[in-house]
Amino acid sequence: MFNPLKALSGVGDMLKSGGDMTKMAKIAMEMQKKLGAMSFTVREGDIEIVMNGNQEVQSITIAGAPNESARRAINNVIKQSQQAAAGQMNEITKMMQ
């Protein structure tokens, strides 16, 4: 099983020592690839949602019928939330410099 904490081991040390950005980019790409290959399924009543490890909803089925508009809407709100979180992380990074 993929362990993101293990994949990130040593990244903090690389940052402190002005580490190799190429190596960090490779680690990030590998993590992204592994996460994208993961699949998570939740069933509640007559609703089934399938999402990958990149937090992208792959399908939503309600009462046995696919619901593409719900899938798109959920993916859009997840993307907005991720962008807001990334913006906040950028602000923190700027303050640390």
Side-chain angles (χ1 to χ4, degrees):
M1 178 174 206
F2 174 68
N3 182 342
L5 294 177
K6 184 176 180 183
L8 287 175
S9 65
V11 172
D13 291 336
M14 283 194 303
L15 288 173
K16 289 177 189 172
S17 64
D20 181 3
M21 296 304 282
T22 303
K23 185 174 182 179
M24 287 184 2
K26 285 181 182 180
I27 291 170
M29 288 175 63
E30 181 67 23
M31 285 177 51
Q32 193 79 13
K33 185 177 178 181
K34 288 179 181 180
L35 287 169
M38 294 178 179
S39 181
F40 304 91
T41 303
V42 173
R43 292 176 188 87
E44 291 288 334
D46 63 350
I47 299 172
E48 177 182 278
I49 300 174
V50 179
M51 177 180 274
N52 68 21
N54 289 326
Q55 298 180 336
E56 300 163 335
V57 176
Q58 302 299 298
S59 67
I60 296 178
T61 306
I62 301 172
N67 192 317
E68 184 62 22
S69 61
R71 186 193 69 80
R72 282 191 310 270
I74 292 171
N75 277 333
N76 285 336
V77 76
I78 290 170
K79 182 182 275 188
Q80 289 175 16
S81 171
Q82 290 171 338
Q83 289 171 343
Q88 292 297 309
M89 291 302 293
N90 285 338
E91 290 300 317
I92 292 170
T93 302
K94 287 177 186 176
M95 290 188 302
M96 293 174 60
Q97 293 178 352

